[in-house]
Amino acid sequence: MPEGPSILILRETLARFTGAVVREADGRVALDLTRLRHRRLLAVRSWGRHLLLEFDGFSLRVHLLLFGSCRIGDATTPSTGSPAVSLRFDDGTRLDFHAVSAKWVEGDLDAHYDGSADILSPAWDAKAARGKLRIAPHTLVCDVLLDQAIFAGVGNIIKNEVLFRVRIHPLSRIGALPDPLLARMIDETRIYGFDFLAWKRQNVLKRHWQVHEQRNCPLCHRTLARIAQLGKRRRRSFHCDHCQALHVLPTLFDASLRTHASGNAPA
DNA sequence: TAACATGTTACGGT
DNA sequence: AACCGTAACATGTT
């Protein structure tokens, strides 16, 4: 369940561990988690889909990938399965992460993370996103929305829903979008992120999906396109071929890009 | 019940 | 050298 808003909720849930001291730490990840023994958890932070447990001088970055989960328990809670990361604190509480990827982040977190890219952060900067997008006019919008360096926290659901909200076809090219529409897409990404967050908190997210996992377009009622591997990232796309406009680059530009990309001269 | 999914990374080949 | 595509991984839900 890990798109940015879900991680933000997880961060809030784990905030109660702030200040706790680790008694024992282990897990199946290829890290020496004993490094955490007797260290005090200074803060629980997040950036996009990254959950960050901050200690003095370093942090543990936990990524839930597609299947990750987190369980809170105490000494009496039997540990189910073998957690990727398992932390036991001095007060007897425990924190187990299953199916996550974990890494150390050395030094100051702010030196590693660009807050302006996090769609849910107060530091989010739409203009910065726009600047990054200008560099790659040929990229498909369905790929660019999933680019964590530009839209940290966006996942496949947010991508599908945002593109429907702004009526942009996922196979459109960034450089083909009129400026005002591009600006709307960027703004709507953050707006939907907060809608997702609110709905997720109330446990009503799914009932608000307009296209994701839906059969028909809520506007024209035609059958939605359901494509299982769209774009470079090969993620599922739910979109309406009729209501979402396809913005393509001028033919010459497009053709020269293709030629360049394939490395072959046209016949 | 088997298949699939809100994802990333490592690796080998161009 | 930089870029590309594919495989590998892991678990809860339908």
Side-chain angles (χ1 to χ4, degrees):
Chain A
M1 41 170 85
E3 296 203 21
S6 301
I7 298 304
L8 196 155
I9 292 169
L10 179 59
R11 181 236 284 173
E12 292 174 348
T13 305
L14 299 187
R16 60 184 250 205
F17 288 96
T18 304
V21 174
V22 176
R23 175 187 298 161
E24 199 55 72
D26 51 36
R28 36 195 305 182
V29 292
L31 295 180
D32 181 16
L33 292 170
T34 60
R35 179 181 189 187
L36 295 175
R37 273 184 196 154
H38 314 307
R39 310 298 295 247
R40 181 182 300 276
L41 179 59
L42 300 182
V44 183
R45 301 173 64 180
S46 65
W47 178 87
R49 285 193 285 261
H50 295 202
L51 180 75
L52 301 158
L53 305 182
E54 187 175 14
F55 296 87
D56 186 17
F58 67 94
S59 300
L60 182 67
R61 188 206 85 172
V62 176
H63 200 300
L64 275 65
L65 301 172
L66 207 48
F67 312 132
S69 59
C70 169
R71 286 170 216 159
I72 298 173
D74 55 41
T76 68
T77 316
S79 172
T80 56
S82 64
V85 174
S86 176
L87 307 180
R88 275 89 68 199
F89 294 91
D90 275 350
D91 63 1
T93 55
R94 71 185 296 143
L95 189 51
D96 290 344
F97 293 98
H98 293 260
V100 299
S101 141
K103 283 187 179 173
W104 300 120
V105 180
E106 303 298 335
D108 182 12
L109 279 177
D110 293 320
H112 288 86
Y113 288 101
D114 170 13
S116 80
D118 185 342
I119 61 162
L120 299 180
S121 168
W124 162 256
D125 183 347
K127 284 210 171 113
R130 206 159 166 173
K132 294 170 193 165
L133 290 179
R134 249 187 274 279
I135 300 170
H138 55 283
T139 342
L140 298 175
V141 296
C142 62
D143 281 331
V144 98
L145 275 173
L146 292 170
D147 186 334
Q148 300 299 296
I150 307 176
F151 298 103
V154 170
N156 205 33
I157 297 173
I158 296 179
K159 177 208 75 182
N160 284 332
E161 292 294 311
V162 166
L163 289 179
F164 178 74
R165 281 188 170 191
V166 295
R167 311 278 186 264
I168 297 174
H169 194 284
L171 291 178
S172 301
R173 309 265 169 187
I174 277 296
L177 300 179
D179 275 356
L181 183 58
L182 178 62
R184 255 202 81 208
M185 185 187 85
I186 294 170
D187 290 342
E188 197 63 40
T189 303
R190 178 169 163 88
I191 292 168
Y192 182 74
F194 281 104
D195 286 342
F196 184 125
L197 177 62
W199 290 328
K200 184 80 182 175
R201 280 196 166 112
Q202 300 163 49
N203 210 19
V204 294
L205 177 65
K206 292 190 182 184
R207 85 176 59 147
H208 290 277
W209 285 345
Q210 296 195 85
V211 289
H212 190 79
E213 298 208 325
Q214 305 306 300
R215 178 170 177 78
N216 295 107
C217 174
L219 289 176
C220 71
H221 307 294
R222 291 172 217 233
T223 307
L224 288 172
R226 194 179 305 190
I227 302 177
Q229 292 186 331
L230 200 55
K232 201 185 295 182
R233 293 163 198 271
R234 326 199 99 200
R235 305 301 303 277
R236 293 195 303 170
S237 181
F238 293 85
H239 61 271
C240 178
D241 282 320
H242 184 251
C243 297
Q244 293 176 243
L246 181 59
H247 299 262
V248 293
L249 292 162
T251 314
L252 273 177
F253 185 34
D254 208 20
S256 76
L257 277 169
R258 268 204 306 277
T259 304
H260 188 255
S262 70
N264 295 320

